[in-house]
Amino acid sequence: MDQRAELSEFLRSRRARLKPGDVGLPDFGRHRRVPGLRREELAQLAGVSVAYYTRLEQGNGQNVSAEVLDAIARALRLTDAEQQHLTHLAKPTASKKKKSGGGRQAAVRPQLHHLIDSMEAVPAYILGRRLDLVAWNRMAAALIGDFVDLPAEERNLARHIFLDPTARELYVDWQDKAVEVVGVLRLCAGCYPDDPLLTALVGELSVKSDEFRTLWAAHTVRQKGHGTKRLHHPVVGELTLSYETLKLPEEHDLSLVTYYAEPGSPSADSLRLLASWAAAPDLSGPGDRPAPVTPPTRSP
């Protein structure tokens, strides 16, 4: 991906979303010819010259200091994830060590497989940096679908959300989930602009999904953290589940995602029912590992 173009488009999109009134500036209504703030207004808020900010918005971030980036981030009201993304785009040399993986997906240690398999009542899966599903337990397969029959390169959460029709049935707030997924991929693209597998994934989704193409053009950036999801499961019905995302510090860009229900809630009862259903015998899985169960009414 072209880092200069990405930096330019990201700054323009963040500037366009701010109205003068948002930052205490007068708004002259019909006399404004651009959406959002003007460059000179943003430069004034950040305490830099208009020429300096213009060069940066044109994609020239080679010599920009961390202090200036912080000032621009404050002026643009960037979130932590957006500020991180801005730094990666403006100063890509700071991420050289992260690029050493050459696009290869890290292997999952057997101990991590054992860990998620031991979570018999908790849907748990491990994501790679491109939202690749690299490991999952029976409960995760029972909840979101089993990816065991897919080729390894197609076991990807973004492909599932945008290309698998069952995802639209599963996630009650599908649009919110889609925005989250695209935002996480955007953050990854800023960290790994030379990752050929990520570039190929974005290209495929852009061709096959109008929704993805529109969301990608919005330059939304998100970190996958924690929150709540509403699901409509074909076996146990409605579920409201919280999720947590835990970075695995000694692994190469791997994250552990778990889902759980509020104790005593109807969703907790439904999750226990799903756990009983998922404990069906005679299972086989990827490699020599037991495979998660797939609901019979859903395709992978």
Side-chain angles (χ1 to χ4, degrees), residues 47-173:
V48 299
S49 71
V50 177
Y52 189 99
Y53 176 76
T54 298
R55 288 196 299 272
L56 183 62
E57 195 173 277
Q58 290 173 343
N60 184 8
Q62 183 176 1
N63 298 315
V64 65
S65 68
E67 291 75 15
V68 168
L69 287 179
D70 288 345
I72 290 173
R74 288 193 298 271
L76 288 172
R77 308 287 181 87
L78 299 187
T79 66
D80 290 344
E82 289 172 333
Q83 185 168 357
Q84 179 184 348
H85 186 60
L86 173 61
T87 300
H88 287 144
L89 293 178
K91 303 178 76 66
T93 54
S95 302
K96 280 185 177 178
K97 290 184 179 179
K98 287 190 173 184
K99 298 177 187 177
S100 61
R104 298 185 303 274
Q105 180 60 62
V108 179
R109 290 186 290 112
Q111 293 84 351
L112 292 174
H113 283 298
H114 299 327
L115 173 64
I116 62 174
D117 285 344
S118 70
M119 300 178 183
E120 297 181 356
V122 176
Y125 54 84
I126 296 175
L127 291 175
R129 73 189 190 199
R130 307 173 203 89
L131 297 180
D132 295 318
L133 281 146
V134 295
W136 60 94
N137 65 6
R138 294 173 186 267
M139 280 294 287
L143 182 66
I144 66 173
D146 192 359
F147 293 79
V148 67
D149 292 328
L150 293 176
E153 62 273 14
E154 295 184 12
R155 297 172 187 168
N156 180 275
L157 188 60
R159 295 186 87 262
H160 171 64
I161 293 300
F162 287 97
L163 304 183
D164 186 346
T166 65
R168 297 176 185 268
E169 301 170 5
L170 177 64
Y171 293 96
V172 176
D173 304 304

Side-chain angles (χ1 to χ4, degrees), residues 19 34 53 55 61 171 188 191 201 210 229 234 239 274 279 283:
K19 296 182 176 62
V34 296
Y53 176 76
R55 288 196 299 272
Y171 293 96
C188 177
C191 295
L201 174 64
D210 292 339
K229 288 286 184 288
L239 291 159
L274 187 63
L283 303 175

